[in-house]
Amino acid sequence: MRPLLLTVGSRGDVQPYLALARGLLAAGHRPLLAAPRGFAALAAAHGVEFAPLNDEMLALQDTVRGQGVRAAITAARAVKPMLRRLLDDQATLTACQADVIVYHPKSLGGPSIAEKLGVPAFAGLLLPLYLPTSAFPSPILPLRPPRALNRASWGVSAAVEAPYRGTVRDWRAEALGLRPGSRAVAGLVKAGGVLHAWSPHLLPAPADWPAYARPTGFWTMPVSGDWAPPARLARFLEDGEPPVYVGFGSSYSGAPETLTATVLEAVRLTGRRAVLATGWGALRAGSEPDGVLVIEEAPHDWLLPRVAVAVHHGGIGTVAAALHAGAPQVVRPFLGDQPFWAERLHRLGVAPAPVTGRLTAVRLAAAIEAATDLTSAARALAAHVRAEDGVTAAVARISRAS
């Protein structure tokens, strides 16, 4: 079987698809992973065939982060030409003669590539996006509506895609020779073309979803057992009690110096050691008080099993890694689906209430202390999550469809 896996975005959007590609490869198939060109080396390291896609939008996102409204408006004007170049790269993928396509909705071109090739397609969703339910509102809705409006709230996913429909329509006709109109992703998902890539122990399928929508489990990479930590990180971990991990990825758009100062004061108030990951700039490297180590990044699957508490933004990739590690979590959500996962973790008893509103050192310190009392619950849930094999479940489903 020749599966085409198509994804765009940051590492959190790419790594689950790489995990799926590895699973397909192990099952004897010949997957092709198409993703932003910056991930070519990562794919090569795992022996996965790779097709590079335009990554200008990812670079633009990094450039304007934290630069204010004017920079964001200026950047928005450049998005459509960049999107067209990304879609044109995707059009070349029709030459790979795929038997089945698994696409991230951010790619926008996945359903059209499948239509051109006449092959089955699955939306590989890392969070619920397109199947309405009355059990909970759309995770990307910025406000929590009354329960009676839960099902109606799922229309927000289609609204998010609206600004790009004209570009996609023109590309379909000009690059693929297809009719201008196309089926919306929501329609394809409703017809059964979906793989929900999260743990049912984190979020089970609601009762009003069809059987095909049951989550497969997380698509996770093998533990980075061969990863060698920098000497200073290894020494720090060996020199005392497990530290608190703090990392907010790329979510924070305010002043990183202020956020860093707040985090350092919160850590001081707890009297605990800490590892701060600057990531994409949410936190800022600077002086390291006693008991604090600042790093750029480290594989979550390696680091989080070695910490006492994981403090983060609530992105699903970090949520999955912390659940798998059995680390209690403190979530300071900023945007998108992060509040949804933060509240879900709290309901499961592996995180205190989300730290929302104004972030202060006192509030963050209190949340860290509250999280330490949830260690047993986090470890118990981790045993269930680690017993799942989401990649194998997804490979089986893909194999049946081709």
Side-chain angles (χ1 to χ4, degrees):
M1 188 172 66
R2 179 64 161 166
L4 170 61
L5 312 183
L6 175 58
T7 184
V8 300
S10 64
R11 183 160 182 155
D13 299 302
V14 174
Q15 187 159 302
Y17 278 74
L18 178 58
L20 179 59
R22 283 176 51 97
L24 287 160
L25 196 62
H29 304 301
R30 297 180 297 114
L32 174 64
L33 175 64
R37 64 182 75 256
F39 295 99
L42 181 63
H46 291 276
V48 170
E49 186 179 350
F50 185 81
L53 300 177
N54 187 289
D55 60 0
E56 291 174 292
M57 288 196 292
L58 196 59
L60 179 65
Q61 175 182 315
D62 291 344
T63 300
V64 303
R65 183 173 292 112
Q67 299 301 310
V69 175
R70 180 173 295 181
I73 293 173
T74 301
R77 298 189 183 116
V79 165
K80 287 189 177 179
M82 291 181 181
L83 173 59
R84 179 56 193 259
R85 290 190 285 273
L86 170 63
L87 289 168
D88 285 342
D89 278 357
Q90 293 178 43
T92 66
L93 298 172
T94 56
C96 80
Q97 294 302 309
D99 301 306
V100 61
I101 294 177
V102 182
Y103 61 92
H104 194 304
K106 284 184 182 179
S107 71
L108 296 178
S112 298
I113 300 297
E115 183 180 342
K116 177 68 176 180
L117 294 175
V119 299
F122 294 94
L125 302 184
L126 310 181
L127 65 149
L129 282 175
Y130 295 103
L131 272 181
T133 176
S134 58
F136 50 82
S138 169
I140 63 173
L141 196 71
L143 301 173
R144 301 295 95 180
R147 184 178 177 84
L149 298 179
N150 278 354
R151 182 172 290 274
S153 73
W154 290 78
V156 71
S157 295
V160 169
E161 297 171 4
Y164 312 113
R165 285 180 187 147
T167 302
V168 174
R169 180 184 62 242
D170 294 343
W171 168 75
R172 282 172 52 83
E174 297 164 6
L176 299 180
L178 298 173
R179 56 186 176 80
S182 62
R183 292 182 69 185
V185 174
L188 295 172
V189 168
K190 188 175 181 181
V194 66
L195 295 166
H196 283 145
W198 64 81
S199 169
H201 286 96
L202 172 62
L203 182 69
D208 54 357
W209 274 8
Y212 66 74
R214 285 195 296 263
T216 63
F218 292 119
W219 298 350
T220 55
M221 298 285 285
V223 176
S224 303
D226 58 349
W227 182 76
R232 61 195 297 266
L233 174 58
R235 283 196 304 270
F236 183 83
L237 293 172
E238 292 170 357
D239 284 348
E241 293 295 319
V244 173
Y245 166 83
V246 185
F248 297 111
S250 59
S251 293
Y252 187 64
S253 60
E257 296 85 359
T258 301
L259 180 59
T260 304
T262 300
V263 168
L264 289 175
E265 176 60 12
V267 169
R268 187 192 68 79
L269 290 173
T270 66
R272 296 177 180 273
R273 298 171 356 115
V275 172
L276 273 59
T278 58
W280 283 9
L283 297 174
R284 184 62 52 86
S287 61
E288 294 179 338
D290 289 344
V292 174
L293 180 71
V294 179
I295 62 173
E296 182 176 350
E297 62 179 357
H300 281 161
D301 61 3
W302 185 93
L303 180 57
L304 296 190
R306 294 167 166 82
V307 306
V309 175
V311 181
H312 59 90
H313 54 299
I316 187 58
T318 311
V319 167
L323 285 174
H324 201 269
Q329 305 178 51
V330 171
V331 183
R332 172 45 166 117
F334 294 99
L335 49 82
D337 57 314
Q338 296 166 7
F340 177 83
W341 296 121
E343 184 58 37
R344 186 66 194 159
L345 292 170
H346 177 49
R347 290 186 183 183
L348 290 173
V350 297
V355 185
T356 57
R358 180 169 175 264
L359 182 65
T360 67
V362 171
R363 293 184 66 210
L364 183 55
I368 292 171
E369 291 298 339
T372 62
D373 294 333
L374 305 176
T375 300
S376 295
R379 290 176 178 171
L381 183 56
H384 295 294
V385 172
R386 287 196 292 263
E388 298 169 351
D389 190 344
V391 166
T392 295
V395 168
R397 178 94 186 277
I398 294 167
S399 300
R400 290 195 297 269
S402 64

